[in-house]
Amino acid sequence: MKESWRWYGPLDKISLGEIAQTGANGIVTALHEVPYGEVWSRETIAARKAEIEAAGFDWVVVESLPIHERIKRGEGDLSALFANYRQSMANLAAEGIHTICYNFMPLLDWTRTDLAAPVDRGGSCLRFSAPRMAALEIFMLGRDAARRDYLPEVVAQAESWFQASSDDERAGLMHAVMAGLPGAYDRYDADGLRTALKLYEGIDRAVLRSHFKRFLEEVIPTAEELGMRFCVHPDDPPRDILGLPRIVSNADDIAWILGAVDSSANGLTLCAGSLGANPKNNVPAIARRFADRIHFAHLRNVRKDADGSFEEAAHLSGDTDMVDLVAALLEEEGRRRDAGRADCEIPFRPDHGHELLDDASRNTHPGYPLIGRMRGLAELRGVIAGLSYGRHQHQQR
């Protein structure tokens, strides 16, 4: 497995020189400064790639080449947006970058309600509180229909929190929910979010699926021609929020997507944390079921509560059996190696991480501290080494 690290380019508070000290050798990044829908020029891609290579890394995965919201909504004449997207793909391929991670989450990316929840023995983590999210939906945005999306006791807790909260606390909640948006893109206040949500009125699960299928039909043939691999990222959290349908949340969803355009170029980013936040998901089993279509992996762990809340756990101590999951990925690498595939190695990155020691003082992107992720990478490296040694010993017998 190829050790990689997410880097936000010039927007990142962590330098490539510091990343080199973690031991990772692949970079996962994007041109976050380019507005959605515009072409990534070959010159800009080449400049970013040269910067990465000069620091001793390979640019192994694009995360993400964003999909314009109009494509997700199926709004108007989309021919120019699809043409721009395909041109960006061609420019990336021309520079030798062939793996693209993307998501089809409407409006918001990953969503949390707390960016610095305390953890045992010090440090902090990202947390999704069902009561706080319900407070935002029902009482701050006035979405009374959201009551049926939460347990009754969660709604009661949400009302109590809302009644007791200050304007600053409510603003902090909105800021946390907006923090999942990457780069320098628009954030919303309550009024702005209400306005943005109106654009999705009438778009249910079936409609969003039809728009996703059209996207795949527009780009996967080009990916095949260019020798590229697309890998969809699961929803985070894997549940409907804000009245918006989420359609990449479980094994059935993944099966539908991979079958919508049945091609090896149409693959999966195996995100252990996103899938692991759904108590019905067995993440190692999902990995084994779709192993041949996994082009990239995000390895992190979560700890779930019965009310639908969850928080980021240390990489080896959450609800997902991380050792079994890594074993599943190594098994797939072995199959690819035995088949003579040149792309047998699966790139992965330690996803998210606790803020530890002086991480909080660096003001990095939420969830992407230096020390916390380096701890995660070190733990995962140990798991991989131990499993690989065991496989080697077994083969020698």
Side-chain angles (χ1 to χ4, degrees), residues 63-274:
E63 186 179 352
S64 300
L65 181 56
I67 302 169
H68 198 280
E69 291 298 311
R70 283 181 52 214
I71 292 176
K72 297 176 187 178
R73 296 194 299 264
E75 178 184 292
D77 182 0
L78 301 175
S79 56
L81 285 175
F82 283 126
N84 286 356
Y85 202 96
R86 288 189 292 265
Q87 185 60 58
S88 295
M89 292 168 58
N91 292 343
L92 285 163
E95 292 300 322
I97 304 161
H98 291 95
T99 302
I100 295 176
C101 169
Y102 70 101
N103 75 72
F104 212 80
M105 288 180 265
L107 194 61
L108 297 179
D109 205 320
W110 60 264
T111 303
R112 300 292 186 274
T113 60
D114 301 87
L115 302 181
V119 298
D120 293 342
R121 304 186 72 182
S124 65
C125 69
L126 302 179
R127 178 171 174 81
F128 179 89
S129 163
R132 290 197 184 194
M133 194 66 202
L136 186 147
E137 293 205 53
I138 299 167
F139 301 105
M140 291 173 60
L141 297 179
R143 291 193 62 253
D144 199 58
R147 289 176 181 271
R148 59 176 174 262
D149 296 333
Y150 296 92
L151 297 170
E153 57 268 32
V154 169
V155 175
Q157 292 172 41
E159 185 169 12
S160 295
W161 181 88
F162 179 76
Q163 295 296 341
S165 62
S166 66
D167 289 343
D168 285 347
E169 287 170 328
R170 295 173 190 174
L173 174 58
M174 181 63 71
H175 170 74
V177 170
M178 291 297 104
L181 293 171
Y185 300 115
D186 293 337
R187 270 65 174 167
Y188 304 103
D189 58 15
D191 288 339
L193 186 52
R194 287 191 201 97
T195 299
L197 288 171
K198 287 180 181 178
L199 297 174
Y200 275 90
E201 288 180 354
I203 298 178
D204 61 12
R205 178 179 177 84
V207 172
L208 189 61
R209 268 190 168 186
S210 70
H211 297 168
F212 195 176
K213 188 172 189 293
R214 180 183 176 187
F215 168 77
L216 293 172
E217 290 170 342
E218 292 277 356
V219 303
I220 295 301
T222 301
E224 291 174 337
E225 294 169 6
L226 296 170
M228 302 190 85
R229 295 172 292 270
F230 267 63
C231 37
V232 65
H233 187 286
D235 300 324
D236 187 8
R239 53 165 293 168
D240 295 355
I241 57 171
L242 298 169
L244 301 171
R246 295 293 183 100
I247 59 172
V248 196
S249 293
N250 54 44
D252 289 343
D253 289 342
I254 294 166
W256 180 88
I257 292 161
L258 301 186
V261 176
D262 192 3
S263 166
S264 60
N266 179 22
L268 173 67
T269 296
L270 195 287
C271 181
S274 296

